[in-house]
Amino acid sequence: MSQRLNLTRIPCPGLKTKPEPGAKLGFGSLFTDFMFALDYTEGKGWHDARIEPYAPLELDPSCMTLHYGQTIFEGMKAYRGEDDSVRLFRPRLNFERMNVSAKRMGIPTLDVDLALQALEALIRQEADWVPGEPGTSLYIRPFIFATEGHLGVRVAKTYRFLIILSPSGAYYESGLDPVSIYIEDEYVRAVRGGTGFAKTAANYAVSLLSQIVAKERGYEQVLWLDGVERRYIEEVGSMNVFFVIDGEPVTPVLNGSILPGITRRSVLELLEHQGRPAREMRLAVDELMELARAGRVTEVFGTGTAAVISPVGRLSYGEESISFTYNPADSLAYQLYDDLTGIQYGHKPDELGWVHCVTPGRKPQTEGSL
Ligand SMILES: *Cc1c(COP(=O)(O)O)cnc(C)c1O
């Protein structure tokens, strides 16, 4: 049974100046006027839903999150359609995944419908912050963290759920820009039984050192191998990974240490829908490199909310580095990017029912755009 959201709106003393249309937005440093907040207290459950001014938080120095890391997050986007509607892409999946992350971290779960109502209310209030230039979006960061001040190691008794919004620029300035990737063979990100499948801070904290090393060696991102044998391909920093091998799209099968991306799932479902199903399988890095050397790996690309699809131009493993040519005209990566962004922004039909409109369109779609 879904709960109804009982929402209080706390006014802002003054609103920020919104960026000029066409201004460079970047990513993750500009925030809207308001955020959604909801508290949890043991014995009482979630309470005090409110939309309040975006502002610094006051935390007890013994706040358990700062010491023991009991925190989880989600990442999604609101898109402005050609008809001016504000649209979300499969948002229930994000809140369902947030509950999976919550369970793993001993954090109380949250009714998915309630979370969705909260997000919709916040986005309606902040709709003018959704940028309209091609490729731009309003990045949405829901997160839950322990608020209790206490130094004993146990689950906290109080938590806060916040949703903050950040207008963000187009990921690609002109066309998909291939990334270079360093396959990490010393450190690992996650192991089965650990927290790899959860969107929780610890997974990112342990990944940063490898990112420094990768940068020093001239690579932009890190690809992780499994934590036990350090042989099976898992995923890239904040993207899942696909390969086209002998013409067939292939991705590592979810195994408990890979983050189950919603873009990954959408790519799999879209390919199935288009009659070109991908294969989910265990992929050994040595076998992959051998296939790549033989020219049988024609494409490598990452999938994630931020970039949608990110072609990989260079892959390094040990002493070896292999390059892949990215040619949009016959690239699966490009086709998937075009299809997914087409659905998200509304210039392609939403045959699979993935789009969730928050505010209706006010302008007609451009003729012939469907
Ligand atoms: C968020 C994330 C992804 C991509 O998930 P999407 O739902 O597609 O955005 C992949 N890997 C990691 C580690 C992530 O945190």
Side-chain angles (χ1 to χ4, degrees), residues 73 75 94 97 189 199 204 235-240 259-264 303-306:
F73 66 92
N94 288 91
R97 184 172 66 187
R189 169 190 176 272
K199 255 182 138 66
Y204 305 87
E235 61 177 311
V236 182
S238 56
M239 294 193 291
N240 296 107
L259 196 288
I262 291 160
T263 320
R264 173 188 183 278
T303 65
T305 296

Side-chain angles (χ1 to χ4, degrees), residues 220-298:
E220 290 158 284
Q221 299 205 29
V222 175
L223 187 146
W224 299 97
L225 299 177
D226 78 279
V228 178
E229 296 176 64
R230 294 188 219 177
R231 180 165 180 230
Y232 296 97
I233 307 269
E234 298 231 309
E235 61 177 311
V236 182
S238 56
M239 294 193 291
N240 296 107
V241 64
F242 282 74
F243 303 89
V244 178
I245 304 176
D246 294 332
E248 183 189 31
V250 170
T251 191
V253 65
L254 297 180
N255 60 356
S257 52
I258 295 175
L259 196 288
I262 291 160
T263 320
R264 173 188 183 278
R265 173 168 165 177
S266 303
V267 162
L268 290 174
E269 291 175 8
L270 193 62
L271 288 172
E272 176 88 41
H273 180 71
Q274 295 173 343
R276 189 187 181 180
R279 194 139 58 102
E280 298 177 74
M281 60 182 284
R282 250 170 37 137
L283 263 169
V285 64
D286 47 317
E287 291 169 13
L288 180 86
M289 292 305 279
E290 196 174 309
L291 290 168
R293 245 175 261 132
R296 291 168 63 185
V297 181
T298 47

Side-chain angles (χ1 to χ4, degrees), residues 36-40 46 50 95 98 110 114-116 118-119 141-145 159-163:
F36 174 82
L38 179 66
D39 288 313
Y40 179 91
W46 291 103
R50 58 207 184 267
F95 290 123
M98 191 170 79
L110 189 56
L114 193 94
L116 199 51
L119 176 60
R141 170 57 59 88
F143 58 111
I144 305 179
F145 63 102
Y159 298 86
R160 187 164 298 164
F161 170 52
L162 293 178
I163 306 176

